[in-house]
Amino acid sequence: MSQNPVIVLVRPQLGENIGKAARAMLNFGLTELRLVAPRDGWPNASAGPAAAGADIVLADAQVFDTLAEAVADITHVYATTVRKRGVVKPVVTPAQAAGAIHIAQDRSAILFGAERSGLDSDELALARTIITVPINPEFGSLNLAQAVILCAYEWSKFQSLKSPPHTEVDPPSPQFELDGMIDQLFAMLEPKGYFLPEDRSLVTRRMLRTLLTKPGWSVQEVRTVRGVLTTLQRKPLS
Amino acid sequence: MSQNPVIVLVRPQLGENIGKAARAMLNFGLTELRLVAPRDGWPNASAGPAAAGADIVLADAQVFDTLAEAVADITHVYATTVRKRGVVKPVVTPAQAAGAIHIAQDRSAILFGAERSGLDSDELALARTIITVPINPEFGSLNLAQAVILCAYEWSKFQSLKSPPHTEVDPPSPQFELDGMIDQLFAMLEPKGYFLPEDRSLVTRRMLRTLLTKPGWSVQEVRTVRGVLTTLQRKPLS
């Protein structure tokens, strides 16, 4: 059984960013937050409002003095970095990390560094794998909550492997319903000379049929179009 | 050749959020931003600082009074929604939309609604496809910039891939051609009382618009339908 990864914020500076990270986590079903030496202590009054309702994540957050303690029970530590650091470790995308976390039997954590400075070399040394978001090389400016949301989002994709939330779209109408509609239109167009000259008539009919088959209208939609056609034959209201 | 999608913010409220959206876009290489009726006008002094350097996106942003004008040149409009709205349109994930945009020959736009309210029903009626982020059903709380970044991020993943050889199919007509056809039909139906009673008129118009947006008719096909409508108004040949 795969387990949800733990999100570890290392030396986060602003309570607001901790709250936003919690919100990003819960949006995609992650709930376990660990904080290493938050600059302004913990709890932090700015975190709650920024969490926008993800209070459970903040309430259950655990605080540690050092990163080593925070990841003591973790078997696979991933560290996020924006830039290459010349670190000799595997570098993966958030999607690749999500896949690996999903199939792993062990406990994973994803580390995010301080807002300005990121993770330092000693912190990176604790990780087995580096996650780097493939970003615009000319403008890489991800904030903390954005980095968290991209990782959480990718992880959530593997959770259900379900297709998108499904809105039931009515199936296309059976052919005979469509034929009825097309016949009605042809009968209206015929006396107006639409199919003249005669030798083009078949091609014109085929072209209209193709155009009206393309939508894949449902039974209800076909009936609506027939109602429109019927209306068009009425006399104007006086 | 696929083209970068246009990001359209509809009735955005806070300049700060416009700036954050611009930052999210540029992080993943998107640069074309359109604003529809921003609440506090444009330019907005709060946008710059929040863009964190993505000034070029803000400087090039175009402002429109109406959504119809903002998407007039677009052939495939995607609308983002958080909740189901009972809309009968295809619903896709950001990843699926990104894939479709990548292989399309035409010009796409992704709409994002106002911070509190999202897109309204008339705005959704303009779109051919709905994008919904598969989110925690018990805590869906994406802010504007987060919704933008997830779509931009997914789109950027396809950028580096080579497209397969392309089958030429006529692209859907730009929105303004479609609007012209719909206006023509409405003008014909109006005097026949199709939109009565008055209090159902808006819903009926929206329903017809949805039905006629669904086919993705090409410019040629839209013109054919207009020809059919014009013919129907003629007197019968004697």
Side-chain angles (χ1 to χ4, degrees):
Chain A
M1 253 306 287
S2 77
Q3 295 179 39
N4 298 1
V6 175
I7 299 297
V8 184
L9 306 185
V10 183
R11 299 175 286 105
Q13 299 176 286
L14 297 175
E16 190 190 342
N17 288 332
I18 300 171
K20 287 179 177 173
R23 175 183 181 179
M25 289 170 60
L26 194 56
N27 267 321
F28 295 104
L30 294 181
T31 53
E32 200 169 337
L33 176 63
R34 297 182 184 180
L35 305 173
V36 177
R39 188 189 66 186
D40 300 333
W42 191 256
N44 181 317
S46 311
D55 304 311
I56 182 79
V57 176
L58 296 178
D60 290 351
Q62 291 180 281
V63 184
F64 299 85
D65 290 334
T66 67
L67 177 56
E69 292 168 274
V71 297
D73 61 330
I74 302 292
T75 46
H76 200 133
V77 176
Y78 293 81
T80 56
T81 65
V82 180
R83 293 160 234 87
K84 279 195 196 162
R85 300 287 198 87
V87 188
V88 190
K89 299 187 191 251
V91 178
V92 300
T93 63
Q96 292 167 327
I101 290 170
H102 183 68
I103 58 175
Q105 305 280 320
D106 52 11
R107 195 98 173 99
S108 303
I110 308 177
L111 314 184
F112 297 84
E115 288 92 329
R116 285 202 175 279
S117 51
L119 294 164
D120 69 27
S121 304
D122 287 330
E123 290 157 354
L124 287 176
L126 277 172
R128 186 167 299 141
T129 307
I130 305 294
I131 298 176
T132 296
V133 179
I135 208 166
N136 182 350
E138 277 144 42
F139 182 77
S141 164
L142 274 187
N143 70 23
L144 182 55
Q146 287 169 326
V148 170
I149 207 169
L150 292 177
C151 291
Y153 165 74
E154 286 289 7
W155 173 80
S156 79
K157 283 195 196 171
F158 285 91
Q159 254 333 75
S160 39
L161 282 182
K162 52 174 181 242
S163 14
H166 223 74
T167 299
E168 212 48 62
V169 175
D170 282 347
S173 73
Q175 204 68 27
F176 80 91
E177 295 262 8
L178 190 64
D179 283 347
M181 181 193 86
I182 291 172
D183 288 346
Q184 182 179 353
L185 176 63
F186 284 4
M188 289 168 69
L189 288 171
E190 181 84 60
K192 315 260 182 166
Y194 188 81
F195 298 116
L196 300 178
E198 199 60 58
D199 65 347
R200 297 284 305 158
S201 170
L202 264 179
V203 175
T204 304
R205 283 167 199 270
R206 190 182 302 138
M207 181 270 296
L208 276 188
R209 176 176 294 281
T210 297
L211 183 154
L212 293 166
T213 301
K214 180 175 178 180
W217 280 326
S218 67
V219 169
Q220 188 50 55
E221 289 172 323
V222 166
R223 287 182 189 160
T224 298
V225 173
R226 296 194 69 158
V228 164
L229 293 176
T230 302
T231 302
L232 289 174
Q233 288 185 289
R234 274 193 223 148
K235 291 208 188 315
L237 303 180
S238 63
Chain B
M1 253 305 285
S2 78
Q3 296 180 38
N4 298 0
V6 175
I7 300 296
V8 184
L9 306 185
V10 183
R11 298 176 285 103
Q13 300 175 285
L14 298 176
E16 191 189 340
N17 289 331
I18 299 171
K20 287 178 177 174
R23 176 183 180 181
M25 287 170 61
L26 194 56
N27 268 320
F28 295 103
L30 294 182
T31 53
E32 198 168 339
L33 176 63
R34 297 184 185 179
L35 306 173
V36 177
R39 188 190 65 187
D40 300 335
W42 191 256
N44 182 317
S46 312
D55 304 310
I56 181 79
V57 177
L58 296 179
D60 290 350
Q62 291 179 280
V63 183
F64 298 86
D65 288 334
T66 66
L67 176 57
E69 292 168 274
V71 299
D73 62 330
I74 301 293
T75 45
H76 202 132
V77 177
Y78 293 82
T80 55
T81 66
V82 180
R83 294 162 233 84
K84 280 193 197 168
R85 302 287 197 87
V87 188
V88 188
K89 297 188 191 248
V91 179
V92 302
T93 63
Q96 291 168 327
I101 290 170
H102 183 68
I103 58 174
Q105 305 278 323
D106 51 12
R107 195 97 172 97
S108 303
I110 308 178
L111 315 184
F112 297 84
E115 287 92 330
R116 286 201 174 278
S117 51
L119 294 164
D120 69 27
S121 303
D122 286 326
E123 290 157 355
L124 288 176
L126 277 172
R128 189 164 292 142
T129 307
I130 305 294
I131 299 177
T132 297
V133 179
I135 208 168
N136 182 351
E138 275 142 42
F139 182 76
S141 165
L142 274 188
N143 69 25
L144 182 56
Q146 286 169 326
V148 170
I149 207 169
L150 293 176
C151 291
Y153 165 74
E154 286 289 6
W155 173 80
S156 77
K157 285 193 195 173
F158 284 90
Q159 265 322 82
S160 45
L161 304 177
K162 290 245 186 293
S163 353
H166 221 74
T167 304
E168 209 54 59
V169 174
D170 277 351
S173 76
Q175 205 74 23
F176 81 91
E177 295 261 10
L178 190 64
D179 283 348
M181 180 194 85
I182 291 172
D183 289 345
Q184 183 179 352
L185 175 64
F186 283 5
M188 288 168 67
L189 287 171
E190 181 85 60
K192 314 262 182 165
Y194 187 81
F195 298 117
L196 298 179
E198 199 59 58
D199 64 348
R200 296 286 304 159
S201 168
L202 266 179
V203 175
T204 304
R205 283 167 199 270
R206 192 181 299 142
M207 180 270 295
L208 277 187
R209 176 177 292 281
T210 295
L211 183 153
L212 294 166
T213 299
K214 181 175 179 181
W217 280 325
S218 67
V219 168
Q220 190 49 55
E221 288 172 322
V222 166
R223 287 181 188 160
T224 299
V225 172
R226 296 195 70 157
V228 164
L229 293 176
T230 302
T231 303
L232 289 175
Q233 288 186 290
R234 276 194 221 146
K235 292 209 188 317
L237 303 179
S238 63

